[in-house]
Amino acid sequence: MTDSNTDIAVVSLAQPLESIADEIGRSFQEYGFAVIRDHGIPQELIDRAEELSKEFFALPEDVKKAYHIPGGGGARGYTPFGTEKAKDANVHDLKEFWHVGRELPEGHPLAEFMADNVWPDEIDGFRKTFSELYSAFETAGGKVLEAIAIHLGLPRDFFAATVEDGNSVMRLLRYPPLEGEEAEGAIRAAAHGDINTITLLLGAEEAGLELLTKQDEWKAVEVPEGALVINVGDMLDRLTNGKLRSTTHRVVNPRGEAAYRARYSMPFFLHFRPDYVIETLPSCIDPENPTDHPEPISSHEFLLQRLREINLA
């Protein structure tokens, strides 16, 4: 357990949510991050997913690029190196990734907002494994949102309807091994904030994830083996008028031998429904400054606005 006043919370989701809600909330208010153990995603599923992710990224470049969807904003399938860049960054990030999104039945009212998934034929069990992992992430994310609702004094199930059939995206990510002296401490993913509601990250045990504190200092996020790192995205920050912080973070290459290895991780970007209007919660409006909060905006409009800024729309 952490010293509840000083550091990023490390809590177990096996505890009653009422007993951990304020610890998580405090951590999100101070750092925008919390670490979750006992998150319910089976280790066997995580191991299988990691193997298949590595198998996919090991495919020849031309095979992977056949799954790139030009004009798709990277929403589904493969995005090659040097495509995405952080807002206001001058260089593209050193990574390649694959996106799995929600599958909606034909005729679903939100189907226009979500493209069909594409699946690589070359990897056995890819679709089954990542569909299972998508669902497991969603279940874990739902629990974290319940804890957030409790912390904010909202009905426990407040967020359930806001994220139902949301445009959540699971990303399989590979940072290539770097070479030469500059590899140690190189920036693999430039400083950025996440656009979505909350992000759940698997695979952050390898050193390198850092957040920017309120004091403007970079702080390493220490992650126990198998734990999930959760961070607040811009949509939740906007909903809570900055009470829960979407914190700038980055991935820095570690020092020593690990600097020369590829790095793999799997973030799940949990989103509100595209038609959900992000309107500041009344409890997060300062009575002395009742107009000091963002304008209401639909989650879809907000997403498009931000994707344009990072070169994906």
Side-chain angles (χ1 to χ4, degrees), residues 48-60 64 122-124 126 264:
R48 193 171 9 126
E50 285 178 352
E51 278 311 305
L52 293 181
S53 170
K54 287 178 179 172
E55 223 176 292
F56 171 77
F57 288 120
L59 290 171
K64 290 188 288 191
E122 292 78 6
I123 311 288
D124 285 345
F126 193 95
Y264 296 86

Side-chain angles (χ1 to χ4, degrees), residues 161-205:
T162 73
V163 298
E164 186 184 357
D165 296 331
N167 196 8
S168 300
V169 176
M170 179 169 65
R171 173 180 286 186
L172 320 182
L173 192 50
R174 175 179 176 267
Y175 300 99
L178 301 180
E179 295 165 9
E181 288 170 24
E182 65 278 8
E184 298 198 30
I187 306 291
R188 280 184 152 171
H192 65 284
D194 289 350
I195 302 169
N196 44 297
T197 310
I198 57 172
T199 300
L200 297 84
L201 174 64
L202 267 178
E205 295 96 336

Side-chain angles (χ1 to χ4, degrees), residues 12 84 96 121 158 181 188 195 221 228 243 247 265 297:
S12 165
E84 187 180 44
E96 56 181 330
D121 300 324
F158 172 85
E181 288 170 24
R188 280 184 152 171
I195 302 169
V221 182
L228 271 180
K243 181 175 181 176
T247 311
S265 66
I297 186 172

Side-chain angles (χ1 to χ4, degrees), residues 40-100:
I41 304 178
Q43 192 57 47
E44 176 277 325
L45 176 57
I46 295 169
D47 294 344
R48 193 171 9 126
E50 285 178 352
E51 278 311 305
L52 293 181
S53 170
K54 287 178 179 172
E55 223 176 292
F56 171 77
F57 288 120
L59 290 171
E61 288 305 304
D62 58 330
V63 174
K64 290 188 288 191
K65 283 189 172 156
Y67 293 105
H68 177 55
I69 302 167
R76 301 290 183 269
Y78 179 65
T79 297
F81 289 118
T83 303
E84 187 180 44
K85 64 188 183 71
K87 184 184 173 190
D88 302 330
N90 296 322
V91 294
H92 293 84
D93 285 345
L94 302 172
K95 64 188 180 193
E96 56 181 330
F97 55 86
W98 178 279
H99 273 171
V100 176

Side-chain angles (χ1 to χ4, degrees), residues 17-309:
L17 293 181
E18 293 78 6
S19 70
I20 59 170
D22 284 340
E23 171 84 352
I24 290 175
R26 187 256 332 142
S27 197
F28 284 156
Q29 283 179 233
E30 179 62 31
Y31 295 109
F33 275 74
V35 176
I36 304 293
R37 292 181 291 104
D38 310 316
H39 44 69
I41 304 178
Q43 192 57 47
E44 176 277 325
L45 176 57
I46 295 169
D47 294 344
R48 193 171 9 126
E50 285 178 352
E51 278 311 305
L52 293 181
S53 170
K54 287 178 179 172
E55 223 176 292
F56 171 77
F57 288 120
L59 290 171
E61 288 305 304
D62 58 330
V63 174
K64 290 188 288 191
K65 283 189 172 156
Y67 293 105
H68 177 55
I69 302 167
R76 301 290 183 269
Y78 179 65
T79 297
F81 289 118
T83 303
E84 187 180 44
K85 64 188 183 71
K87 184 184 173 190
D88 302 330
N90 296 322
V91 294
H92 293 84
D93 285 345
L94 302 172
K95 64 188 180 193
E96 56 181 330
F97 55 86
W98 178 279
H99 273 171
V100 176
R102 182 179 304 286
E103 307 223 293
L104 291 173
E106 212 171 312
H108 189 287
L110 295 175
E112 62 173 299
F113 297 106
M114 295 175 222
D116 292 336
N117 277 312
V118 294
W119 302 101
D121 300 324
E122 292 78 6
I123 311 288
D124 285 345
F126 193 95
R127 179 175 189 162
K128 178 180 184 294
T129 296
F130 287 106
S131 299
E132 274 178 47
L133 186 59
Y134 188 101
S135 298
F137 263 127
E138 203 160 46
T139 302
K143 275 192 152 183
V144 174
L145 288 175
E146 275 188 51
I148 291 170
I150 293 167
H151 172 70
L152 292 172
L154 299 166
R156 185 186 174 118
D157 62 353
F158 172 85
F159 286 104
T162 73
V163 298
E164 186 184 357
D165 296 331
N167 196 8
S168 300
V169 176
M170 179 169 65
R171 173 180 286 186
L172 320 182
L173 192 50
R174 175 179 176 267
Y175 300 99
L178 301 180
E179 295 165 9
E181 288 170 24
E182 65 278 8
E184 298 198 30
I187 306 291
R188 280 184 152 171
H192 65 284
D194 289 350
I195 302 169
N196 44 297
T197 310
I198 57 172
T199 300
L200 297 84
L201 174 64
L202 267 178
E205 295 96 336
E206 176 113 35
L209 178 63
E210 297 182 342
L211 66 87
L212 194 60
T213 65
K214 288 178 179 175
Q215 293 72 36
D216 235 17
E217 291 166 357
W218 287 106
K219 177 180 176 62
V221 182
E222 307 286 339
V223 188
E225 188 73 32
L228 271 180
V229 176
I230 315 282
N231 65 277
V232 173
D234 295 345
M235 292 183 183
L236 184 59
D237 184 305
R238 191 179 179 106
L239 184 75
T240 63
N241 202 17
K243 181 175 181 176
L244 303 184
R245 302 177 60 220
S246 176
T247 311
T248 297
H249 52 284
R250 66 184 185 182
V251 177
V252 176
N253 216 13
R255 304 268 162 195
E257 188 198 332
Y260 303 97
R261 290 199 294 262
R263 178 192 177 103
Y264 296 86
S265 66
M266 288 184 280
F268 183 82
F269 301 107
L270 196 151
H271 279 261
F272 290 131
R273 298 166 56 92
D275 57 358
Y276 177 67
V277 176
I278 304 168
E279 188 167 359
T280 305
L281 296 167
S283 61
C284 296
I285 294 174
D286 177 357
E288 292 184 19
N289 296 294
T291 58
D292 185 15
H293 57 84
E295 289 291 300
I297 186 172
S298 80
S299 139
H300 182 65
E301 274 309 308
F302 184 72
L303 176 64
L304 285 183
Q305 199 174 296
R306 291 297 311 280
L307 285 177
R308 284 191 284 270
E309 290 171 356

